[in-house]
């Protein structure tokens, strides 16, 4: 897919994500909206995947380390054909496999369980190292939140990836500048991120993470070193009253807000 088509698909995913959160009465919609453009580019352009064979050994791997934004991943996986889109209506319902955090034992296309922050990147480093040891050709991508980068386990993984020269690993940091309850700048401000990753021996790209024309080439870039994409995004992207508002980290729109958001995310925009 080219950028214009990817943007159309991303709008569809945002609308379905909004619907799922509204109907479930729970979710992490702000961080989902900031990450959906990147997930769309991955699943509809970049990743080598086999929806009818989700454990195909030659598949590329994607780890959603910021696992609380699972709903966006579920909508993307369903739209890509990993499971029926009708199942999205069961999100967070009793007995549903579409839980608040992704489970690789239940949901096709989920590579590893995530939720506790600071776990996904270390697991992805292990996946990339395993590919090097076995001679496999798959590439591993992992997305973290910027608040999540305050976790020390991530920096241990970053050191290991550089030591092992894991040029088959791409880290995407969803740098939307907000975490639960506060702005990143008001908690443990680790920005700017680029010089820190470069100091640890990584190749770093810095992009607008809500612009397809910048997302795609960054995801497709290959380097001699592990690659980090610092993706500058907007919390609640695409919805005016949510954008860059910390209270929409974990909040559900009422009926009026839902209708406004649906209109703003319409394909005519």
């Amino acid at each position: 897919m080219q950028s214009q088509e990817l943007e159309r698909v991303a709008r569809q995913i945002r609308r379905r994500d909004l619907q799922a959160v509204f109907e479930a009465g729970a979710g992490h919609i702000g961080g989902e909206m900031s990450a959906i453009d990147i997930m769309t580019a991955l699943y509809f352009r970049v990743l080598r995947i086999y929806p009818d064979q989700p454990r195909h050994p030659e598949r590329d791997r994607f780890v959603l380390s910021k696992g609380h934004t699972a709903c966006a991943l579920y909508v993307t996986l369903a739209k890509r054909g990993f499971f029926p889109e009708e199942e999205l209506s069961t999100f967070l319902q009793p007995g549903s496999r579409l839980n608040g955090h992704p489970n690789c034992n239940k949901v096709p296309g989920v590579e590893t369980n995530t939720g506790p922050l600071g776990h996904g990147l270390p697991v992805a480093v292990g996946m990339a190292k395993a590919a090097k040891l076995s001679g496999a050709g798959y590439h591993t991508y992992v997305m973290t939140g910027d608040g999540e980068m305050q976790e020390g386990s991530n920096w241990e993984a970053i050191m290991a990836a550089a030591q092992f020269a894991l040029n088959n690993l791409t880290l995407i940091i969803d740098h939307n500048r907000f975490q639960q309850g506060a702005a990143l700048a008001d908690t443990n401000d680790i920005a700017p991120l680029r010089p820190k990753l470069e100091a640890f021996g990584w190749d770093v790209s810095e992009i607008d993470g809500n612009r397809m024309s910048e997302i795609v080439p960054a995801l497709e870039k290959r380097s001699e070193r592990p690659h980090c994409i610092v993706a500058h995004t907007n919390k609640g992207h695409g919805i005016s009253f949510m954008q860059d508002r910390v209270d929409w980290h974990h909040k559900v729109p009422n009926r009026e807000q839902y209708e406004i958001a649906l209109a703003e995310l319409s394909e005519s925009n």
Side-chain angles (χ1 to χ4, degrees):
M1 287 189 184
Q2 300 303 311
S3 291
Q4 188 173 3
E5 180 68 5
L6 290 169
E7 289 165 0
R8 185 184 67 81
V9 173
R11 286 195 298 272
Q12 293 175 346
I13 292 172
R14 280 192 170 90
R15 286 170 63 89
R16 190 61 187 88
D17 182 279
L18 171 71
Q19 179 186 347
V21 170
F22 176 71
E23 292 176 350
H28 290 81
I29 195 166
E32 289 161 4
M33 294 296 150
S34 66
I36 282 172
D37 293 309
I38 294 166
M39 289 192 203
T40 301
L42 281 167
Y43 280 92
F44 289 86
R45 165 78 183 236
V46 176
L47 292 176
R48 179 176 54 181
I49 48 177
Y50 309 84
D52 58 338
Q53 301 178 63
R55 291 295 178 186
H56 195 292
E58 296 179 7
R59 73 192 185 280
D60 290 333
R61 274 67 165 169
F62 172 66
V63 175
L64 180 64
S65 191
K66 46 178 283 182
H68 53 283
T69 59
C71 188
L73 178 61
Y74 298 151
V75 176
T76 305
L77 289 172
K79 192 162 187 62
R80 190 63 176 82
F82 282 86
F83 58 87
E85 290 188 60
E86 293 76 19
E87 190 175 347
L88 294 170
S89 63
T90 72
F91 175 57
L92 296 183
Q93 298 304 309
S96 174
R97 58 181 178 172
L98 304 183
N99 299 322
H101 295 90
N103 188 323
C104 66
N105 298 309
K106 296 182 178 181
V107 183
V110 173
E111 291 293 343
T112 189
N113 296 12
T114 54
L117 299 178
H119 287 195
L121 177 54
V123 170
V125 168
M127 291 176 173
K129 179 62 173 174
K132 289 288 188 181
L133 291 171
S134 65
Y138 65 81
H139 196 92
T140 299
Y141 294 84
V142 54
M143 180 188 287
T144 69
D146 50 4
E148 181 182 2
M149 293 304 294
Q150 297 163 353
E151 299 283 352
S153 53
N154 284 324
W155 297 96
E156 294 178 22
I158 285 166
M159 285 188 285
Q163 175 67 30
F164 298 141
L166 298 181
N167 62 346
N168 58 347
L169 174 68
T170 299
L171 163 64
I172 307 144
I173 302 176
D174 183 12
H175 193 10
N176 63 28
R177 308 178 311 284
F178 293 93
Q179 59 194 103
Q180 181 168 311
L184 187 73
D186 296 330
T187 52
N188 182 3
D189 191 4
I190 56 172
L193 288 157
R194 180 172 194 159
K196 295 177 177 64
L197 270 293
E198 288 177 337
F200 277 83
W202 283 54
D203 186 11
V204 183
S205 301
E206 209 158 359
I207 66 167
D208 181 338
N210 295 128
R211 186 181 295 274
M212 286 296 177
S213 60
E214 296 187 27
I215 294 169
V216 170
L219 291 174
E220 293 180 339
K221 178 180 178 179
R222 295 295 179 263
S223 173
E224 294 303 311
R225 298 176 287 163
H227 180 214
C228 174
I229 301 170
V230 179
H232 294 272
T233 62
N234 300 306
K235 196 121 178 170
H237 183 80
I239 302 173
S240 60
F241 60 86
M242 291 187 191
Q243 188 159 311
D244 297 335
R245 293 284 303 274
V246 68
D247 50 326
W248 284 100
H249 177 87
H250 187 267
K251 187 177 177 181
V252 178
N254 59 33
R255 169 61 69 175
E256 180 182 3
Q257 291 169 327
Y258 174 65
E259 297 294 344
I260 292 170
L262 276 180
E264 292 185 353
L265 294 173
S266 69
E267 291 197 54
S268 62
N269 291 342

